[in-house]
Amino acid sequence: MHLEGSIGPELAMQLATRRGVELPGASEGVEGLRAAYRYANFQDFIRLYVAISRCLCEAEDFADAVAGVAHAAADEGVRYAEYTFTPMTHVARGVDPERMLEGLAQGRARARAEHGVEIGWVFDVVRSFPDQGMPTVELMLRARAMGEAVVGLGVGGPEGPQWPAAALVPVFARAKAEGFAALPHAGEQDGPASVAAAIDEFGADRIGHGVRVVEEPALLARVAELGIPLELCPSSNLVLGFYPDLAAHPLAALDAAGVKWSINSDDPPLFGTTLTNEYLRCARHYGWDAHRIHAIARAAVEHSYLQASTANEICSAQDDWLRAQLERA
Ligand SMILES: [Zn+2]
């Protein structure tokens, strides 16, 4: 999920008040802001996302944002999260990169100490700002040198032929040479060609969404054969209008083709969801039983960049959950 997109109305209100940022609907109080979280189109979604991002200025803002989203994650049983964060959007509007990284580190330490949530970072670049790519890798190196768990480089934002992958090829090459995973979003707004570029040009180790790979059988078979996991975010796809409902969503087709995937929440409050809700919604629609839910949650651990000792702890907690479900049944 995205750090900035995981900030719910209460936390956003608190940060906006501190920095004097005007959020949509917020003149009517937190309820007005909550209403703005139920936007009608992609433009309103972006407007809100950008407004929330603008509330993050000083180290304490980033720290409170991280601790706040980790608190919400802990409340639904999350033990580990990989947060995508877009550092250069903040630096480009004048945020001091050192303060920003300090804030992330403080927030991550608080997430662990206060909420028992371990965090891995994915720093990403907006596809329409490829010049921010190399500076993003520099910030990843700086954060890693500070002891932060930076697991990979991502790319998000608008997809399409006007934003060719070529501009980011040297950026992903550099990130991979430095030992970071390539974790691009692809195949959401744009079709299979975007997924092919993510694999062939970025060396994708895991792909955000990737759902539109179903439109090209040969590529679908290739993704399955290569074992590149997809981060599926069903509610995100439905809210943004890529599919009308779960019946039209390609999850089942991807699964039938043998593609690896996990269930994710993307920007949970902005899509009116939580990770738990994503599991419940899919479980109801696809008829998943406890064994299936357990296997899907296990896959999420396997596709993550979590260190082995914590991964083992989480897997044994998942096994305990399954045992409890079976005993209750
Ligand atoms: Zn995303």
Side-chain angles (χ1 to χ4, degrees), residues 86-248:
T86 318
M88 288 307 293
T89 59
H90 303 289
V91 173
R93 61 185 171 81
V95 170
D96 180 322
E98 289 298 313
R99 298 284 91 73
M100 178 181 73
L101 296 181
E102 272 170 32
L104 292 182
Q106 288 166 14
R108 181 166 163 269
R110 278 171 54 192
R112 184 190 295 128
E114 296 168 19
H115 307 298
V117 174
E118 198 59 52
I119 290 175
W121 299 117
V122 177
F123 282 10
D124 81 339
V125 189
V126 178
R127 220 176 254 266
S128 45
F129 294 98
D131 291 350
Q132 296 182 347
M134 284 302 183
T136 300
V137 178
E138 294 299 333
L139 288 169
M140 292 166 75
L141 292 166
R142 177 81 194 98
R144 187 167 67 182
M146 290 165 62
E148 287 302 284
V150 185
V151 301
L153 173 69
V155 59
E159 259 185 289
Q162 64 274 49
W163 312 114
L168 286 168
V169 166
V171 179
F172 274 97
R174 169 107 198 275
K176 292 202 83 163
E178 293 288 355
F180 298 113
L183 309 172
H185 280 36
E188 179 201 23
Q189 301 155 63
D190 200 10
S194 171
V195 176
I199 297 168
D200 296 326
E201 300 187 51
F202 299 159
D205 295 294
R206 194 178 69 199
I207 293 175
H209 301 293
V211 281
R212 291 188 60 190
V213 72
V214 290
E215 295 168 23
E216 197 185 306
L219 185 63
L220 177 64
R222 192 165 161 235
V223 169
E225 193 187 308
L226 291 170
I228 299 170
L230 305 185
E231 305 158 3
L232 301 185
C233 311
S235 289
S236 164
N237 295 155
L238 304 193
V239 171
L240 293 181
F242 296 113
Y243 303 99
D245 50 33
L246 276 186

Side-chain angles (χ1 to χ4, degrees), residues 4-24 26 29-30 33-34 37 48-49 51-56 61 64-65 68-69 269-270:
E4 297 92 328
S6 296
I7 298 174
E10 288 81 9
L11 180 58
M13 194 77 173
Q14 180 194 329
L15 296 168
T17 305
R18 182 189 289 167
R19 296 299 163 212
V21 173
E22 236 177 85
L23 293 176
V30 74
L33 176 59
R34 201 186 307 282
Y37 272 66
L48 180 58
Y49 193 99
I52 294 169
S53 296
R54 281 178 40 236
C55 299
L56 303 172
D61 307 330
D64 288 347
V69 300
L270 288 163

